[in-house]
PDB file of all heavy atoms in Angstrom:
ATOM      1  N   ALA A1315     -97.600 -54.043 -66.405  1.00 98.00           N
ATOM      2  CA  ALA A1315     -97.845 -54.005 -64.959  1.00 98.00           C
ATOM      3  C   ALA A1315     -96.604 -54.419 -64.175  1.00 98.00           C
ATOM      4  O   ALA A1315     -96.327 -53.861 -63.105  1.00 98.00           O
ATOM      5  CB  ALA A1315     -99.028 -54.905 -64.608  1.00 98.00           C
ATOM      6  N   ALA A1316     -95.850 -55.371 -64.692  1.00 98.00           N
ATOM      7  CA  ALA A1316     -94.604 -55.769 -64.021  1.00 98.00           C
ATOM      8  C   ALA A1316     -93.611 -54.617 -64.024  1.00 98.00           C
ATOM      9  O   ALA A1316     -92.943 -54.352 -63.012  1.00 98.00           O
ATOM     10  CB  ALA A1316     -94.009 -56.996 -64.707  1.00 98.00           C
ATOM     11  N   ARG A1317     -93.515 -53.912 -65.133  1.00 98.00           N
ATOM     12  CA  ARG A1317     -92.610 -52.757 -65.203  1.00 98.00           C
ATOM     13  C   ARG A1317     -93.069 -51.648 -64.260  1.00 98.00           C
ATOM     14  O   ARG A1317     -92.250 -51.026 -63.583  1.00 98.00           O
ATOM     15  CB  ARG A1317     -92.534 -52.222 -66.637  1.00 98.00           C
ATOM     16  CG  ARG A1317     -91.783 -53.176 -67.573  1.00 98.00           C
ATOM     17  CD  ARG A1317     -91.545 -52.573 -68.931  1.00 98.00           C
ATOM     18  NE  ARG A1317     -90.710 -51.388 -68.764  1.00 98.00           N
ATOM     19  CZ  ARG A1317     -90.782 -50.313 -69.552  1.00 98.00           C
ATOM     20  NH1 ARG A1317     -91.659 -50.267 -70.547  1.00 98.00           N
ATOM     21  NH2 ARG A1317     -89.992 -49.281 -69.340  1.00 98.00           N
ATOM     22  N   GLU A1318     -94.373 -51.416 -64.201  1.00 98.00           N
ATOM     23  CA  GLU A1318     -94.894 -50.403 -63.281  1.00 98.00           C
ATOM     24  C   GLU A1318     -94.574 -50.774 -61.836  1.00 98.00           C
ATOM     25  O   GLU A1318     -94.154 -49.926 -61.043  1.00 98.00           O
ATOM     26  CB  GLU A1318     -96.400 -50.239 -63.468  1.00 98.00           C
ATOM     27  CG  GLU A1318     -96.988 -49.167 -62.568  1.00 98.00           C
ATOM     28  CD  GLU A1318     -98.476 -48.966 -62.774  1.00 98.00           C
ATOM     29  OE1 GLU A1318     -99.066 -49.559 -63.702  1.00 98.00           O
ATOM     30  OE2 GLU A1318     -99.071 -48.209 -61.976  1.00 98.00           O
ATOM     31  N   HIS A1319     -94.762 -52.041 -61.499  1.00 98.00           N
ATOM     32  CA  HIS A1319     -94.402 -52.508 -60.163  1.00 98.00           C
ATOM     33  C   HIS A1319     -92.921 -52.236 -59.894  1.00 98.00           C
ATOM     34  O   HIS A1319     -92.556 -51.763 -58.811  1.00 98.00           O
ATOM     35  CB  HIS A1319     -94.695 -54.008 -60.016  1.00 98.00           C
ATOM     36  CG  HIS A1319     -94.189 -54.574 -58.734  1.00 98.00           C
ATOM     37  ND1 HIS A1319     -94.922 -54.552 -57.571  1.00 98.00           N
ATOM     38  CD2 HIS A1319     -92.996 -55.157 -58.426  1.00 98.00           C
ATOM     39  CE1 HIS A1319     -94.200 -55.096 -56.598  1.00 98.00           C
ATOM     40  NE2 HIS A1319     -93.030 -55.475 -57.094  1.00 98.00           N
ATOM     41  N   GLY A1320     -92.095 -52.536 -60.865  1.00 98.00           N
ATOM     42  CA  GLY A1320     -90.661 -52.307 -60.719  1.00 98.00           C
ATOM     43  C   GLY A1320     -90.320 -50.853 -60.475  1.00 98.00           C
ATOM     44  O   GLY A1320     -89.493 -50.536 -59.610  1.00 98.00           O
ATOM     45  N   ARG A1321     -90.952 -49.971 -61.201  1.00 98.00           N
ATOM     46  CA  ARG A1321     -90.711 -48.530 -61.005  1.00 98.00           C
ATOM     47  C   ARG A1321     -91.185 -48.091 -59.626  1.00 98.00           C
ATOM     48  O   ARG A1321     -90.477 -47.374 -58.916  1.00 98.00           O
ATOM     49  CB  ARG A1321     -91.407 -47.718 -62.097  1.00 98.00           C
ATOM     50  CG  ARG A1321     -90.700 -47.776 -63.436  1.00 98.00           C
ATOM     51  CD  ARG A1321     -91.261 -46.785 -64.439  1.00 98.00           C
ATOM     52  NE  ARG A1321     -92.690 -46.974 -64.682  1.00 98.00           N
ATOM     53  CZ  ARG A1321     -93.205 -47.823 -65.564  1.00 98.00           C
ATOM     54  NH1 ARG A1321     -92.414 -48.573 -66.286  1.00 98.00           N
ATOM     55  NH2 ARG A1321     -94.505 -47.920 -65.731  1.00 98.00           N
ATOM     56  N   ASN A1322     -92.388 -48.523 -59.232  1.00 98.00           N
ATOM     57  CA  ASN A1322     -92.928 -48.135 -57.925  1.00 98.00           C
ATOM     58  C   ASN A1322     -92.085 -48.665 -56.768  1.00 98.00           C
ATOM     59  O   ASN A1322     -91.985 -48.019 -55.723  1.00 98.00           O
ATOM     60  CB  ASN A1322     -94.378 -48.605 -57.776  1.00 98.00           C
ATOM     61  CG  ASN A1322     -95.324 -47.861 -58.687  1.00 98.00           C
ATOM     62  OD1 ASN A1322     -95.039 -46.753 -59.150  1.00 98.00           O
ATOM     63  ND2 ASN A1322     -96.464 -48.458 -58.986  1.00 98.00           N
ATOM     64  N   ALA A1323     -91.505 -49.844 -56.943  1.00 98.00           N
ATOM     65  CA  ALA A1323     -90.680 -50.449 -55.902  1.00 98.00           C
ATOM     66  C   ALA A1323     -89.205 -50.040 -56.019  1.00 98.00           C
ATOM     67  O   ALA A1323     -88.378 -50.509 -55.250  1.00 98.00           O
ATOM     68  CB  ALA A1323     -90.801 -51.972 -55.957  1.00 98.00           C
ATOM     69  N   GLU A1324     -88.918 -49.203 -57.008  1.00 98.00           N
ATOM     70  CA  GLU A1324     -87.545 -48.718 -57.260  1.00 98.00           C
ATOM     71  C   GLU A1324     -86.573 -49.874 -57.489  1.00 98.00           C
ATOM     72  O   GLU A1324     -85.449 -49.888 -56.976  1.00 98.00           O
ATOM     73  CB  GLU A1324     -87.081 -47.798 -56.131  1.00 98.00           C
ATOM     74  CG  GLU A1324     -87.939 -46.554 -56.002  1.00 98.00           C
ATOM     75  CD  GLU A1324     -87.478 -45.600 -54.904  1.00 98.00           C
ATOM     76  OE1 GLU A1324     -86.464 -45.875 -54.233  1.00 98.00           O
ATOM     77  OE2 GLU A1324     -88.154 -44.575 -54.745  1.00 98.00           O
ATOM     78  N   LEU A1325     -87.009 -50.831 -58.307  1.00 98.00           N
ATOM     79  CA  LEU A1325     -86.159 -51.963 -58.645  1.00 98.00           C
ATOM     80  C   LEU A1325     -85.156 -51.565 -59.727  1.00 98.00           C
ATOM     81  O   LEU A1325     -85.357 -50.593 -60.450  1.00 98.00           O
ATOM     82  CB  LEU A1325     -87.009 -53.134 -59.154  1.00 98.00           C
ATOM     83  CG  LEU A1325     -88.087 -53.667 -58.223  1.00 98.00           C
ATOM     84  CD1 LEU A1325     -88.775 -54.882 -58.843  1.00 98.00           C
ATOM     85  CD2 LEU A1325     -87.531 -53.994 -56.854  1.00 98.00           C
ATOM     86  N   ALA A1326     -84.110 -52.340 -59.842  1.00 98.00           N
ATOM     87  CA  ALA A1326     -83.161 -52.168 -60.935  1.00 98.00           C
ATOM     88  C   ALA A1326     -83.883 -52.453 -62.256  1.00 98.00           C
ATOM     89  O   ALA A1326     -84.987 -53.013 -62.279  1.00 98.00           O
ATOM     90  CB  ALA A1326     -81.991 -53.124 -60.747  1.00 98.00           C
ATOM     91  N   ALA A1327     -83.252 -52.077 -63.358  1.00 98.00           N
ATOM     92  CA  ALA A1327     -83.839 -52.298 -64.681  1.00 98.00           C
ATOM     93  C   ALA A1327     -84.146 -53.782 -64.884  1.00 98.00           C
ATOM     94  O   ALA A1327     -83.307 -54.644 -64.632  1.00 98.00           O
ATOM     95  CB  ALA A1327     -82.894 -51.798 -65.759  1.00 98.00           C
ATOM     96  N   LEU A1328     -85.360 -54.061 -65.331  1.00 98.00           N
ATOM     97  CA  LEU A1328     -85.844 -55.430 -65.469  1.00 98.00           C
ATOM     98  C   LEU A1328     -85.898 -55.868 -66.927  1.00 98.00           C
ATOM     99  O   LEU A1328     -86.080 -55.046 -67.831  1.00 98.00           O
ATOM    100  CB  LEU A1328     -87.254 -55.556 -64.888  1.00 98.00           C
ATOM    101  CG  LEU A1328     -87.438 -55.199 -63.419  1.00 98.00           C
ATOM    102  CD1 LEU A1328     -88.913 -55.287 -63.044  1.00 98.00           C
ATOM    103  CD2 LEU A1328     -86.579 -56.091 -62.536  1.00 98.00           C
ATOM    104  N   THR A1329     -85.781 -57.163 -67.116  1.00 98.00           N
ATOM    105  CA  THR A1329     -86.093 -57.792 -68.393  1.00 98.00           C
ATOM    106  C   THR A1329     -87.204 -58.788 -68.105  1.00 98.00           C
ATOM    107  O   THR A1329     -87.111 -59.585 -67.179  1.00 98.00           O
ATOM    108  CB  THR A1329     -84.866 -58.497 -68.989  1.00 98.00           C
ATOM    109  OG1 THR A1329     -83.856 -57.509 -69.226  1.00 98.00           O
ATOM    110  CG2 THR A1329     -85.214 -59.197 -70.293  1.00 98.00           C
ATOM    111  N   ILE A1330     -88.265 -58.696 -68.901  1.00 98.00           N
ATOM    112  CA  ILE A1330     -89.483 -59.475 -68.667  1.00 98.00           C
ATOM    113  C   ILE A1330     -89.757 -60.321 -69.901  1.00 98.00           C
ATOM    114  O   ILE A1330     -89.760 -59.798 -71.027  1.00 98.00           O
ATOM    115  CB  ILE A1330     -90.677 -58.533 -68.393  1.00 98.00           C
ATOM    116  CG1 ILE A1330     -90.368 -57.656 -67.189  1.00 98.00           C
ATOM    117  CG2 ILE A1330     -91.969 -59.313 -68.198  1.00 98.00           C
ATOM    118  CD1 ILE A1330     -90.902 -56.263 -67.308  1.00 98.00           C
ATOM    119  N   VAL A1331     -90.012 -61.602 -69.690  1.00 98.00           N
ATOM    120  CA  VAL A1331     -90.322 -62.521 -70.780  1.00 98.00           C
ATOM    121  C   VAL A1331     -91.621 -63.247 -70.438  1.00 98.00           C
ATOM    122  O   VAL A1331     -91.747 -63.811 -69.354  1.00 98.00           O
ATOM    123  CB  VAL A1331     -89.187 -63.544 -71.002  1.00 98.00           C
ATOM    124  CG1 VAL A1331     -89.556 -64.530 -72.100  1.00 98.00           C
ATOM    125  CG2 VAL A1331     -87.879 -62.843 -71.327  1.00 98.00           C
ATOM    126  N   VAL A1332     -92.573 -63.219 -71.363  1.00 98.00           N
ATOM    127  CA  VAL A1332     -93.844 -63.928 -71.190  1.00 98.00           C
ATOM    128  C   VAL A1332     -93.901 -65.042 -72.236  1.00 98.00           C
ATOM    129  O   VAL A1332     -93.750 -64.794 -73.433  1.00 98.00           O
ATOM    130  CB  VAL A1332     -95.051 -62.979 -71.365  1.00 98.00           C
ATOM    131  CG1 VAL A1332     -96.367 -63.734 -71.179  1.00 98.00           C
ATOM    132  CG2 VAL A1332     -94.961 -61.804 -70.413  1.00 98.00           C
ATOM    133  N   LEU A1333     -94.122 -66.270 -71.742  1.00 98.00           N
ATOM    134  CA  LEU A1333     -94.215 -67.443 -72.603  1.00 98.00           C
ATOM    135  C   LEU A1333     -95.627 -68.002 -72.575  1.00 98.00           C
ATOM    136  O   LEU A1333     -96.297 -67.948 -71.540  1.00 98.00           O
ATOM    137  CB  LEU A1333     -93.264 -68.542 -72.118  1.00 98.00           C
ATOM    138  CG  LEU A1333     -91.795 -68.183 -71.940  1.00 98.00           C
ATOM    139  CD1 LEU A1333     -91.031 -69.396 -71.417  1.00 98.00           C
ATOM    140  CD2 LEU A1333     -91.195 -67.670 -73.221  1.00 98.00           C
ATOM    141  N   ASP A1334     -96.064 -68.595 -73.693  1.00 98.00           N
ATOM    142  CA  ASP A1334     -97.331 -69.318 -73.670  1.00 98.00           C
ATOM    143  C   ASP A1334     -97.083 -70.709 -73.101  1.00 98.00           C
ATOM    144  O   ASP A1334     -95.946 -71.071 -72.758  1.00 98.00           O
ATOM    145  CB  ASP A1334     -97.985 -69.345 -75.060  1.00 98.00           C
ATOM    146  CG  ASP A1334     -97.229 -70.156 -76.091  1.00 98.00           C
ATOM    147  OD1 ASP A1334     -96.307 -70.936 -75.739  1.00 98.00           O
ATOM    148  OD2 ASP A1334     -97.572 -70.032 -77.287  1.00 98.00           O
ATOM    149  N   ALA A1335     -98.117 -71.515 -72.986  1.00 97.00           N
ATOM    150  CA  ALA A1335     -98.005 -72.832 -72.353  1.00 97.00           C
ATOM    151  C   ALA A1335     -97.060 -73.758 -73.107  1.00 97.00           C
ATOM    152  O   ALA A1335     -96.519 -74.698 -72.527  1.00 97.00           O
ATOM    153  CB  ALA A1335     -99.379 -73.474 -72.212  1.00 97.00           C
ATOM    154  N   GLY A1336     -96.822 -73.495 -74.389  1.00 96.00           N
ATOM    155  CA  GLY A1336     -95.898 -74.297 -75.181  1.00 96.00           C
ATOM    156  C   GLY A1336     -94.467 -73.815 -75.119  1.00 96.00           C
ATOM    157  O   GLY A1336     -93.591 -74.380 -75.774  1.00 96.00           O
ATOM    158  N   GLY A1337     -94.214 -72.761 -74.331  1.00 97.00           N
ATOM    159  CA  GLY A1337     -92.871 -72.240 -74.183  1.00 97.00           C
ATOM    160  C   GLY A1337     -92.452 -71.238 -75.241  1.00 97.00           C
ATOM    161  O   GLY A1337     -91.275 -70.872 -75.321  1.00 97.00           O
ATOM    162  N   HIS A1338     -93.400 -70.764 -76.046  1.00 97.00           N
ATOM    163  CA  HIS A1338     -93.092 -69.775 -77.080  1.00 97.00           C
ATOM    164  C   HIS A1338     -93.130 -68.369 -76.491  1.00 97.00           C
ATOM    165  O   HIS A1338     -94.037 -68.041 -75.715  1.00 97.00           O
ATOM    166  CB  HIS A1338     -94.104 -69.864 -78.231  1.00 97.00           C
ATOM    167  CG  HIS A1338     -94.155 -71.220 -78.831  1.00 97.00           C
ATOM    168  ND1 HIS A1338     -95.119 -72.139 -78.494  1.00 97.00           N
ATOM    169  CD2 HIS A1338     -93.338 -71.834 -79.727  1.00 97.00           C
ATOM    170  CE1 HIS A1338     -94.920 -73.256 -79.164  1.00 97.00           C
ATOM    171  NE2 HIS A1338     -93.835 -73.095 -79.911  1.00 97.00           N
ATOM    172  N   VAL A1339     -92.195 -67.535 -76.899  1.00 98.00           N
ATOM    173  CA  VAL A1339     -92.165 -66.156 -76.441  1.00 98.00           C
ATOM    174  C   VAL A1339     -93.335 -65.400 -77.067  1.00 98.00           C
ATOM    175  O   VAL A1339     -93.492 -65.376 -78.284  1.00 98.00           O
ATOM    176  CB  VAL A1339     -90.832 -65.464 -76.814  1.00 98.00           C
ATOM    177  CG1 VAL A1339     -90.864 -63.985 -76.411  1.00 98.00           C
ATOM    178  CG2 VAL A1339     -89.654 -66.160 -76.162  1.00 98.00           C
ATOM    179  N   ILE A1340     -94.156 -64.783 -76.210  1.00 98.00           N
ATOM    180  CA  ILE A1340     -95.243 -63.930 -76.687  1.00 98.00           C
ATOM    181  C   ILE A1340     -94.809 -62.473 -76.616  1.00 98.00           C
ATOM    182  O   ILE A1340     -95.074 -61.694 -77.517  1.00 98.00           O
ATOM    183  CB  ILE A1340     -96.529 -64.131 -75.859  1.00 98.00           C
ATOM    184  CG1 ILE A1340     -97.019 -65.546 -75.978  1.00 98.00           C
ATOM    185  CG2 ILE A1340     -97.611 -63.158 -76.330  1.00 98.00           C
ATOM    186  CD1 ILE A1340     -98.223 -65.829 -75.115  1.00 98.00           C
ATOM    187  N   ALA A1341     -94.154 -62.116 -75.522  1.00 98.00           N
ATOM    188  CA  ALA A1341     -93.702 -60.736 -75.346  1.00 98.00           C
ATOM    189  C   ALA A1341     -92.426 -60.739 -74.519  1.00 98.00           C
ATOM    190  O   ALA A1341     -92.254 -61.580 -73.635  1.00 98.00           O
ATOM    191  CB  ALA A1341     -94.779 -59.896 -74.655  1.00 98.00           C
ATOM    192  N   ALA A1342     -91.554 -59.785 -74.825  1.00 98.00           N
ATOM    193  CA  ALA A1342     -90.324 -59.622 -74.048  1.00 98.00           C
ATOM    194  C   ALA A1342     -89.912 -58.160 -74.126  1.00 98.00           C
ATOM    195  O   ALA A1342     -89.998 -57.549 -75.197  1.00 98.00           O
ATOM    196  CB  ALA A1342     -89.212 -60.512 -74.578  1.00 98.00           C
ATOM    197  N   GLU A1343     -89.506 -57.626 -72.993  1.00 98.00           N
ATOM    198  CA  GLU A1343     -88.990 -56.257 -72.954  1.00 98.00           C
ATOM    199  C   GLU A1343     -87.790 -56.198 -72.032  1.00 98.00           C
ATOM    200  O   GLU A1343     -87.777 -56.818 -70.972  1.00 98.00           O
ATOM    201  CB  GLU A1343     -90.050 -55.263 -72.459  1.00 98.00           C
ATOM    202  CG  GLU A1343     -91.116 -54.985 -73.481  1.00 98.00           C
ATOM    203  CD  GLU A1343     -91.982 -53.782 -73.128  1.00 98.00           C
ATOM    204  OE1 GLU A1343     -91.568 -52.934 -72.311  1.00 98.00           O
ATOM    205  OE2 GLU A1343     -93.081 -53.720 -73.679  1.00 98.00           O
ATOM    206  N   ARG A1344     -86.810 -55.428 -72.455  1.00 98.00           N
ATOM    207  CA  ARG A1344     -85.611 -55.180 -71.665  1.00 98.00           C
ATOM    208  C   ARG A1344     -85.576 -53.693 -71.390  1.00 98.00           C
ATOM    209  O   ARG A1344     -85.499 -52.886 -72.312  1.00 98.00           O
ATOM    210  CB  ARG A1344     -84.365 -55.608 -72.444  1.00 98.00           C
ATOM    211  CG  ARG A1344     -83.065 -55.336 -71.738  1.00 98.00           C
ATOM    212  CD  ARG A1344     -81.880 -55.525 -72.700  1.00 98.00           C
ATOM    213  NE  ARG A1344     -80.703 -54.903 -72.164  1.00 98.00           N
ATOM    214  CZ  ARG A1344     -80.379 -53.618 -72.298  1.00 98.00           C
ATOM    215  NH1 ARG A1344     -81.163 -52.792 -72.962  1.00 98.00           N
ATOM    216  NH2 ARG A1344     -79.273 -53.154 -71.770  1.00 98.00           N
ATOM    217  N   GLU A1345     -85.655 -53.331 -70.120  1.00 98.00           N
ATOM    218  CA  GLU A1345     -85.645 -51.914 -69.765  1.00 98.00           C
ATOM    219  C   GLU A1345     -84.254 -51.327 -69.995  1.00 98.00           C
ATOM    220  O   GLU A1345     -83.240 -52.029 -69.913  1.00 98.00           O
ATOM    221  CB  GLU A1345     -86.052 -51.718 -68.306  1.00 98.00           C
ATOM    222  CG  GLU A1345     -87.508 -52.050 -68.051  1.00 98.00           C
ATOM    223  CD  GLU A1345     -87.942 -51.762 -66.634  1.00 98.00           C
ATOM    224  OE1 GLU A1345     -87.168 -52.030 -65.683  1.00 98.00           O
ATOM    225  OE2 GLU A1345     -89.074 -51.276 -66.476  1.00 98.00           O
ATOM    226  N   ASP A1346     -84.239 -50.038 -70.273  1.00 98.00           N
ATOM    227  CA  ASP A1346     -82.970 -49.334 -70.428  1.00 98.00           C
ATOM    228  C   ASP A1346     -82.116 -49.556 -69.194  1.00 98.00           C
ATOM    229  O   ASP A1346     -82.601 -49.468 -68.066  1.00 98.00           O
ATOM    230  CB  ASP A1346     -83.201 -47.830 -70.607  1.00 98.00           C
ATOM    231  CG  ASP A1346     -83.938 -47.492 -71.889  1.00 98.00           C
ATOM    232  OD1 ASP A1346     -83.975 -48.342 -72.799  1.00 98.00           O
ATOM    233  OD2 ASP A1346     -84.482 -46.374 -71.969  1.00 98.00           O
ATOM    234  N   GLY A1347     -80.865 -49.882 -69.412  1.00 97.00           N
ATOM    235  CA  GLY A1347     -79.942 -50.077 -68.302  1.00 97.00           C
ATOM    236  C   GLY A1347     -79.838 -51.502 -67.801  1.00 97.00           C
ATOM    237  O   GLY A1347     -79.003 -51.790 -66.947  1.00 97.00           O
ATOM    238  N   ALA A1348     -80.679 -52.396 -68.308  1.00 97.00           N
ATOM    239  CA  ALA A1348     -80.582 -53.793 -67.880  1.00 97.00           C
ATOM    240  C   ALA A1348     -79.268 -54.370 -68.395  1.00 97.00           C
ATOM    241  O   ALA A1348     -78.849 -54.097 -69.516  1.00 97.00           O
ATOM    242  CB  ALA A1348     -81.761 -54.608 -68.411  1.00 97.00           C
ATOM    243  N   SER A1349     -78.632 -55.171 -67.571  1.00 95.00           N
ATOM    244  CA  SER A1349     -77.348 -55.740 -67.966  1.00 95.00           C
ATOM    245  C   SER A1349     -77.538 -56.825 -69.030  1.00 95.00           C
ATOM    246  O   SER A1349     -78.655 -57.290 -69.272  1.00 95.00           O
ATOM    247  CB  SER A1349     -76.606 -56.280 -66.742  1.00 95.00           C
ATOM    248  OG  SER A1349     -77.354 -57.292 -66.120  1.00 95.00           O
ATOM    249  N   ILE A1350     -76.415 -57.221 -69.619  1.00 96.00           N
ATOM    250  CA  ILE A1350     -76.480 -58.201 -70.704  1.00 96.00           C
ATOM    251  C   ILE A1350     -76.931 -59.563 -70.188  1.00 96.00           C
ATOM    252  O   ILE A1350     -76.837 -59.852 -69.010  1.00 96.00           O
ATOM    253  CB  ILE A1350     -75.124 -58.326 -71.430  1.00 96.00           C
ATOM    254  CG1 ILE A1350     -74.057 -58.920 -70.495  1.00 96.00           C
ATOM    255  CG2 ILE A1350     -74.678 -56.986 -71.958  1.00 96.00           C
ATOM    256  CD1 ILE A1350     -72.778 -59.314 -71.215  1.00 96.00           C
ATOM    257  N   ARG A1351     -77.467 -60.346 -71.078  1.00 97.00           N
ATOM    258  CA  ARG A1351     -77.903 -61.719 -70.845  1.00 97.00           C
ATOM    259  C   ARG A1351     -79.120 -61.840 -69.931  1.00 97.00           C
ATOM    260  O   ARG A1351     -79.490 -62.934 -69.519  1.00 97.00           O
ATOM    261  CB  ARG A1351     -76.771 -62.598 -70.321  1.00 97.00           C
ATOM    262  CG  ARG A1351     -75.479 -62.540 -71.133  1.00 97.00           C
ATOM    263  CD  ARG A1351     -75.668 -62.792 -72.588  1.00 97.00           C
ATOM    264  NE  ARG A1351     -75.808 -64.207 -72.864  1.00 97.00           N
ATOM    265  CZ  ARG A1351     -75.690 -64.737 -74.065  1.00 97.00           C
ATOM    266  NH1 ARG A1351     -75.439 -63.971 -75.097  1.00 97.00           N
ATOM    267  NH2 ARG A1351     -75.852 -66.016 -74.246  1.00 97.00           N
TER     268      ARG A1351
END
């Protein structure tokens, strides 16, 4: 849904990280064209 929002709003390529309450990565995606880091 965050990526869809980004496309609809014509945002630059996004990187999205979802953490659980303990700070562990559950999901992460880097869209094509997102810059390093």
Side-chain angles (χ1 to χ4, degrees):
R1317 290 188 62 212
E1318 182 178 353
H1319 173 87
R1321 285 190 302 274
N1322 291 338
E1324 298 181 1
L1325 302 184
L1328 301 176
T1329 298
I1330 302 144
V1331 177
V1332 180
L1333 306 178
D1334 67 13
H1338 303 98
V1339 176
I1340 298 176
E1343 286 193 20
R1344 177 192 163 275
E1345 292 184 320
D1346 295 342
S1349 61
I1350 66 169
R1351 309 308 281 196

